[in-house]
Amino acid sequence: MTEPGTPIRVILADDELLLREAVMTLLALEDGITVLGTAATGAEAVELVRKARPDVAVLDLEMPTQDGIEAAAEIQLIAPGTRVVLLTRHARPAVLRRALDAGVSAFVTKATSVKELPSILRSVASGGRYVDGAVATAALSESNCPLTEREIDVLRESLDGATIRVIAERTHLAPGTVRNYISTAMTKLGAANRVQAARVAWSEGWI
């Protein structure tokens, strides 16, 4: 937590160069905020935090090598004093829960005005939290997920149309076990195939 009047040291990670540079330029114009560096992947963000020890790490949710939530969880281990702000296009309630479990202090959608971001960073740096209002409302009204953790795992790996063999390799399960989990998930979700089941689960925010 930064003391009042102390400059807030920030790192920014986003795989989209245009957005990364735009946000960096905006923050550089703000009094009391210093951008220590930027990263294009989750792994780069973790390494940057390890070296720079910023007050706040602003992470995109969807990045190569590690997504923002995975990077946030690792950052909490190596630099527990660094607060994490997660940026996302897909403000799904289940993602919010994962983010909070990973120690994220703020959950901000990319629909948020860039003018609001500096005040969010100041609040987070001083120990506050922020959750986009629409996401918080959706989380309160979200239906309960009928899937088990393993069913969620195999459906997550099914989103890109992967074969049973590939899903088995990714999840370290036997192909027959993967088939059983997928079959049960399809029945629960009323889906005709594993890709459709995965898309239903994704649209509900469960994966």
Side-chain angles (χ1 to χ4, degrees):
M1 188 187 315
T2 58
E3 296 296 328
T6 304
I8 301 168
R9 298 169 304 120
V10 176
I11 68 106
L12 172 66
D14 195 303
D15 61 333
E16 296 182 43
L17 178 61
L18 180 62
L19 181 60
R20 189 168 70 243
E21 291 188 341
V23 174
M24 181 178 68
T25 300
L26 167 73
L27 295 179
L29 296 174
E30 289 288 323
D31 290 335
I33 295 179
T34 301
V35 179
L36 301 179
T38 63
T41 70
E44 288 178 7
V46 171
E47 187 58 28
L48 187 55
V49 168
R50 190 190 308 275
K51 293 177 179 178
R53 302 287 166 157
D55 300 306
V56 180
V58 182
L59 310 178
D60 183 28
L61 171 62
E62 297 180 2
M63 292 187 291
T65 69
Q66 285 180 306
D67 68 21
I69 294 177
E70 292 167 338
E74 189 167 348
I75 287 169
Q76 293 305 298
L77 292 176
I78 64 172
T82 296
R83 311 272 286 174
V84 177
V85 173
L86 194 71
L87 298 178
T88 178
R89 295 187 191 281
H90 307 293
R92 291 169 287 150
V95 176
L96 169 61
R97 288 200 303 274
R98 284 182 58 216
L100 295 177
D101 288 343
V104 169
S105 298
F107 192 87
V108 183
T109 71
K110 290 185 177 179
T112 301
S113 169
V114 292
K115 295 179 180 178
E116 294 181 42
L117 186 58
S119 63
I120 293 171
L121 296 186
R122 292 188 178 96
S123 173
V124 167
S126 63
R129 290 182 175 275
Y130 175 88
V131 176
D132 179 89
V135 183
T137 300
L140 291 173
S141 60
E142 183 186 35
S143 58
N144 291 327
C145 176
L147 304 172
T148 66
E149 286 297 322
R150 275 307 195 181
E151 288 164 359
I152 289 172
D153 289 341
V154 297
L155 288 186
R156 183 180 294 114
E157 300 301 336
S158 302
L159 271 173
D160 61 357
T163 64
I164 294 294
R165 181 182 60 81
V166 170
I167 295 170
E169 291 174 354
R170 291 175 178 175
T171 56
H172 308 291
L173 296 170
T177 302
V178 169
R179 288 192 185 90
N180 289 338
Y181 282 134
I182 288 175
S183 177
T184 303
M186 286 168 52
T187 299
K188 289 179 178 178
L189 301 180
N193 54 58
R194 62 178 178 274
V195 175
Q196 183 182 35
R199 288 175 177 167
V200 170
W202 185 89
S203 67
E204 291 290 341
W206 298 328
I207 61 176

